[in-house]
Amino acid sequence: DVKVTQSSRYLVKRTGEKVFLECVQDMDHENMFWYRQDPGLGLRLIYFSYDVKMKEKGDIPEGYSVSREKKERFSLILESASTNQTSMYLCASSLTAGGEKLFFGSGTQLSVL
Amino acid sequence: KQEVTQIPAALSVPEGENLVLNCSFTDSAIYNLQWFRQDPGKGLTSLLLIQSSQREQTSGRLNASLDKSSGRSTLYIAASQPGDSATYLCAVRRQNRDDKIIFGKGTRLHILP
């Protein structure tokens, strides 16, 4: 089975801190995604990547950046954390070939105080 | 713009009943549709993926159908069990398979013992 691992289940950070959220997948998937999930708003796409060193903005990229130096690892960076970035962050991956399923990590609940 | 809607937002049914969850989408030009399950505080688990050329997919007690022309999909759960309690989300990938995946906000299902 595909395994998508997010490095932390819970994180508490201070306003203004730089925050790194790490995601690793073990199935050689080309596509990787970062979503945030908020009550009443559902899942919203922050950034995605179709290949190493490649990134595309999603629907809400402001305040975030990403890094994909290796195929298996996709990092989400909050340059200067703010309280409105308190959320559940979900990483996902999929193959590029047709019929691909989307596989999710277990999520990181980030609280910015 | 593709929009995905799931109604109702919450549903409670007695154990043992068969039930149907609904998903509707506004643009029929989709590449595929996927159903997910999410337990509280956890990531999403893929249940079924239906390609645009398919009408249905089955896995155990779950059956998902797709009617592109009417912009609808249903997830049928047979002989419901308390362990089926979770939030169920549907998501569509637009016709360009490299395009973003649009999620509904989910139906929170509670199976009454």
Side-chain angles (χ1 to χ4, degrees), chain A residues 59-94:
Chain A
D59 298 317
I60 51 164
E62 296 78 18
Y64 303 94
S65 62
V66 290
S67 172
R68 194 163 181 203
E69 295 295 319
K70 293 184 178 181
K71 191 175 186 180
E72 67 271 18
R73 186 180 297 270
F74 192 36
S75 302
L76 179 69
I77 304 156
L78 286 65
E79 297 291 343
S80 177
S82 64
T83 55
N84 63 13
Q85 293 179 309
T86 291
S87 185
M88 169 68 93
Y89 289 87
L90 294 162
C91 175
S93 73
S94 72

Side-chain angles (χ1 to χ4, degrees), chain A residues 9 37 50 96 99-100, chain B residues 38 41 51 93 97-98 100:
Chain A
R9 283 288 288 123
Q37 186 177 31
Y50 292 135
T96 54
E100 63 272 28
Chain B
Q38 186 177 29
Q51 300 299 334
R93 173 167 269 161
R97 66 176 174 83
D98 289 333
K100 293 178 285 188

